[in-house]
Amino acid sequence: MEQKQTTIGITGMTCAACATRIEKGLKKVEGVTEANVNLALERASVTFKPDVVNASKLEEKIEQLGYGVIHEAVDFNITGMTCAACATRIEKGLNKLPGVTKTNVNLALETAHVEYAPSEVSIQDMVRKVDKLGYKVTLKKEEEHGESEQRQKALTRQKQKLIASALLSFPLLWAMVSHFSFTSFIWLPEALMNPWVQLALATPVQFIIGRQFYEGAYKALRNGSANMDVLVALGTSAAYFYSLYLTIQSIGNPHPMVDMYYETSAILITLILLGKLFEALAKGRTSEAIKTLMGLQAKTALVIRDNQELTVPIEEVVVGDIMVVKPGEKVPVDGEVLEGRSAVDESMLTGESIPVEKEAGGQVFGATVNKNGLLKIKATKVGRETALAQIIKVVEEAQGSKAPIQRVADKISGIFVPVVVGIAVAVFLIWYLWVAPGDFANALEKLIAVLVIACPCALGLATPTSIMAGSGRAAELGILFKGGEHLEAAHQVEVVMVDKTGTVTKGKPELTDVMTEGMEESTFLTLVGSAEKNSEHPLAEAIVSGATEKGANLLTTEQFEAIPGYGIRAVIKGREVVVGTRKLMAQYGISVNHVLKKMDGLEQEGKTA
């Protein structure tokens, strides 16, 4: 039976226990063969049988478990609608597409907003569907990652919560610090010693700012498991409610007790919020490599339709489109050259510093750069099928894959919370019954310390974050890992074999060696550099740059002719100069064998003669 893979963005996970719970929940869904949840990337990769279950059911399951699902979104401009029935027809048509979760068509603005799962439906599928219904559609604006916008808003909310929590907690921290014998010199306002003032400061932190921990704990316990939120809720609630009990006891007492723990609960919530903010920032930075790769793509394409050249967004290019790529432009998508001849810089894909000559019948790839000739190309692969999109997919899968060490961490964190709660209760009883008999406050302090300090967050987050950071940084440097296990094994590598020198060059040719026969090197470089300065070929640019650096004074050419695929011919001060390949030399009857023999060693090093 055919199997399909989808990636679902998830919100609301707080620790590795959450990821483990979602994985287990998804694996229980009939038709799901594999589920892998990455806490750091906040996404699930699910392999399933489309005949048995679809992506919508998987999203429903995630929401039942108490987490949110992130959808990508796209906006279209639609023309040709005449009444509300048109808008309804388009909505129904788009909603029938697999992977489309929500459609909103606005008749007055002539726009459509669609939320969709990119693994099941593409923008081109939606465009084709609207066209088929008889309306004209253009891409308004792709919400490049609906999730990135949502994450930005979530980050802003986190910062606001942290600031509010810190402002309310600071007076409580001030009161606590002034109690130490070595800080008795610190002035403390009398009001901050009042338990009712402390209650007023701690309550908003505990129940308004800290509400997320109670909600997370409830969802976890409702689904039969425990996570970091359970520990935080238990620890801070113990401190808060014990302090509340002491505050009520102080009613009518002119000298109320000051050994309260309001600062414990408030400061802990503040510190955990700070930790969560650091986590969110780390997650954002580790996905920069994907954005960098995506940034290599061309944004528009010059397409020939109805004998007219139209500039369209890259998302609107379809297989079979004829495109024009001018010198210096990026190739929009993978395709076949129909007309023209040029050198194409493919270093971003292959690492090869020498551009590849392309002519009719040759294959070109999206995001490579057309150097010096006009090319007419037929699109053969678009969207997620292009070579660059496949590379991005490999990097995403590598960042989301689990290294062996992470599987161990996930197993531990899955049982970590109940074990910690058990240890905390045991510590409380040992302190209350034996270490400090009858001292409830002392025993409670130890219980809170165990509960809150032992959060499994770092255990579950450190490994996936390090895999993301490592594979992401490697991708920026042109090294791709196909999985976390390979990244983990990399420290054992002693020898690296490279199939060709081009993959480890700078990606840009340079003049390295000059050999002359019967001519001064300075004269030779002046003639060759002057001849090549009219050429746009990358090797010509390297020669001109090298000649200039070596002090050559370039002259004006009287004649210049580019010979595609061979080289150039020029006339300088009445002297004919021919620069190019062995074939060009043979064509002009110029013997260069005696020089090439001297260059054998250099060519074996990977240098181009």
Side-chain angles (χ1 to χ4, degrees):
M1 189 182 284
E2 183 199 355
Q3 292 200 354
K4 201 171 182 180
Q5 190 178 47
T6 187
T7 302
I8 303 169
I10 301 171
T11 58
M13 292 191 290
T14 56
C15 66
C18 298
T20 305
R21 183 162 71 256
I22 295 169
E23 264 183 23
K24 287 178 181 176
L26 288 171
K27 284 175 182 175
K28 287 177 184 175
V29 177
E30 189 183 352
V32 172
T33 54
E34 186 58 44
N36 180 12
V37 178
N38 187 297
L39 172 65
L41 276 174
E42 292 184 317
R43 63 178 60 169
S45 176
V46 189
T47 306
F48 62 98
K49 297 171 184 174
D51 295 343
V52 181
V53 68
N54 58 29
S56 298
K57 293 286 183 189
L58 300 176
E59 290 176 3
E60 279 177 27
K61 182 64 180 175
I62 292 168
E63 285 168 351
Q64 280 173 14
L65 291 168
Y67 301 92
V69 174
I70 300 168
H71 295 111
E72 288 199 18
V74 65
D75 291 308
F76 296 108
N77 286 319
I78 299 175
T79 53
M81 294 188 290
T82 55
C83 64
C86 297
T88 306
R89 188 172 170 224
I90 294 168
E91 274 186 12
K92 285 181 178 175
L94 287 171
N95 283 330
K96 283 179 183 175
L97 290 173
V100 172
T101 53
K102 185 181 177 184
T103 306
N104 181 18
V105 178
N106 188 310
L107 175 64
L109 295 175
E110 293 190 316
T111 60
H113 178 80
V114 186
E115 291 182 7
Y116 66 102
S119 55
E120 289 196 74
V121 65
S122 68
I123 290 171
Q124 288 92 338
D125 294 334
M126 293 181 250
V127 169
R128 279 194 290 270
K129 183 67 179 177
V130 178
D131 278 339
K132 199 173 175 182
L133 290 170
Y135 303 93
K136 188 165 178 57
V137 59
T138 55
L139 192 68
K140 183 181 178 185
K141 175 191 172 187
E142 185 180 6
E143 298 294 340
E144 190 188 359
H145 290 300
E147 51 186 295
S148 71
E149 197 175 318
Q150 287 183 38
R151 280 183 184 147
Q152 198 56 46
K153 287 178 182 175
L155 200 61
T156 304
R157 282 197 299 271
Q158 273 181 281
K159 287 177 182 175
Q160 290 169 346
K161 278 186 179 180
L162 176 62
I163 291 167
S165 186
L167 290 173
L168 290 167
S169 301
F170 178 73
L172 296 170
L173 178 65
W174 187 1
M176 181 187 77
V177 169
S178 66
H179 288 164
F180 301 135
S181 56
F182 59 88
T183 58
S184 56
F185 62 89
I186 295 175
W187 174 75
L188 178 69
E190 188 65 32
L192 291 184
M193 299 297 288
N194 188 319
W196 295 99
V197 172
Q198 292 189 10
L199 173 65
L201 289 167
T203 302
V205 178
Q206 186 70 34
F207 298 109
I208 299 174
I209 297 168
R211 178 182 171 184
Q212 66 188 73
F213 301 113
Y214 286 104
E215 288 178 346
Y218 168 71
K219 287 173 184 174
L221 295 170
R222 186 184 66 188
N223 288 288
S225 64
N227 64 359
M228 173 189 164
D229 290 337
V230 174
L231 293 182
V232 176
L234 276 175
T236 58
S237 295
Y240 176 85
F241 286 109
Y242 178 61
S243 301
L244 179 61
Y245 166 74
L246 294 178
T247 302
I248 295 168
Q249 289 284 85
S250 71
I251 295 174
N253 185 351
H255 304 290
M257 294 173 64
V258 292
D259 290 337
M260 311 244 175
Y261 297 94
Y262 287 121
E263 79 284 344
T264 305
S265 65
I267 292 166
L268 282 171
I269 287 172
T270 304
L271 290 175
I272 290 163
L273 288 174
L274 179 63
K276 283 186 172 293
L277 182 63
F278 286 150
E279 284 171 19
L281 293 170
K283 289 174 189 173
R285 279 196 296 270
T286 49
S287 60
E288 282 302 310
I290 303 285
K291 290 176 185 173
T292 303
L293 286 171
M294 287 177 167
L296 295 173
Q297 295 171 314
K299 301 294 183 286
T300 59
L302 189 61
V303 178
I304 299 174
R305 289 178 184 166
D306 301 325
N307 294 321
Q308 286 187 317
E309 289 187 1
L310 304 170
T311 301
V312 300
I314 192 74
E315 295 83 7
E316 290 184 21
V317 177
V318 295
V319 173
D321 269 342
I322 309 300
M323 299 171 293
V324 176
V325 186
K326 296 175 182 177
E329 290 183 349
K330 286 183 180 179
V331 177
V333 296
D334 294 5
E336 180 187 344
V337 178
L338 298 178
E339 291 177 27
R341 188 182 189 121
S342 182
V344 177
D345 180 0
E346 296 183 345
S347 59
M348 52 75 61
L349 276 180
T350 63
E352 291 283 6
S353 56
I354 308 300
V356 183
E357 294 290 339
K358 301 289 182 182
E359 55 186 15
Q363 299 296 313
V364 290
F365 304 97
T368 56
V369 181
N370 180 26
K371 296 297 284 186
N372 53 7
L374 186 80
L375 292 176
K376 195 174 277 188
I377 297 166
K378 181 181 179 181
T380 55
K381 290 181 180 177
V382 300
R384 287 168 288 140
E385 302 301 318
T386 62
L388 180 63
Q390 294 300 310
I391 289 173
I392 291 169
K393 187 180 177 187
V394 167
V395 176
E396 284 181 330
E397 286 176 355
Q399 288 193 336
S401 67
K402 290 189 178 181
I405 189 68
Q406 189 181 339
R407 293 191 187 100
V408 174
D410 284 355
K411 281 180 184 173
I412 295 169
S413 60
I415 58 166
F416 196 84
V417 177
V419 169
V420 167
V421 172
I423 292 170
V425 172
V427 166
F428 174 82
L429 292 173
I430 290 167
W431 240 261
Y432 189 70
L433 298 174
W434 291 289
V435 178
D439 190 344
F440 183 82
N442 198 346
L444 181 69
E445 210 173 84
K446 305 302 181 285
L447 176 139
I448 293 166
V450 173
L451 283 178
V452 181
I453 292 170
C455 290
C457 187
L459 183 72
L461 192 72
T463 312
T465 303
S466 62
I467 289 170
M468 284 174 66
S471 58
R473 181 69 181 130
E476 286 175 9
L477 298 171
I479 302 165
L480 303 182
F481 286 92
K482 289 195 79 173
E485 63 273 21
H486 309 302
L487 189 63
E488 186 180 324
H491 75 282
Q492 298 171 336
V493 173
E494 293 177 0
V495 179
V496 178
M497 290 183 69
V498 182
D499 67 335
K500 53 189 172 182
T501 55
T503 53
V504 288
T505 61
K506 296 176 183 175
K508 184 181 177 183
E510 290 178 0
L511 180 64
T512 59
D513 302 89
V514 180
M515 291 189 178
T516 63
E517 288 268 329
M519 187 185 290
E520 287 288 326
E521 184 178 295
S522 58
T523 307
F524 175 77
L525 286 173
T526 297
L527 289 170
V528 175
S530 301
E532 290 282 24
K533 74 177 181 181
N534 293 310
S535 173
E536 295 173 328
H537 196 283
L539 286 184
E541 291 172 6
I543 290 169
V544 172
S545 178
T548 306
E549 284 175 14
K550 290 178 183 286
N553 185 22
L554 303 187
L555 306 170
T556 305
T557 53
E558 292 155 27
Q559 288 181 29
F560 177 82
E561 180 191 356
I563 307 166
Y566 288 87
I568 58 113
R569 175 190 163 279
V571 176
I572 301 161
K573 286 195 171 180
R575 300 175 75 170
E576 186 177 27
V577 178
V578 179
V579 188
T581 62
R582 290 172 171 80
K583 287 180 182 177
L584 186 64
M585 299 298 115
Q587 216 176 69
Y588 277 81
I590 302 168
S591 175
V592 290
N593 290 334
H594 55 298
V595 181
L596 288 172
K597 278 181 184 175
K598 292 181 183 178
M599 288 193 166
D600 275 350
L602 295 174
E603 288 199 295
Q604 284 172 8
E605 289 176 26
K607 296 180 180 181
T608 300

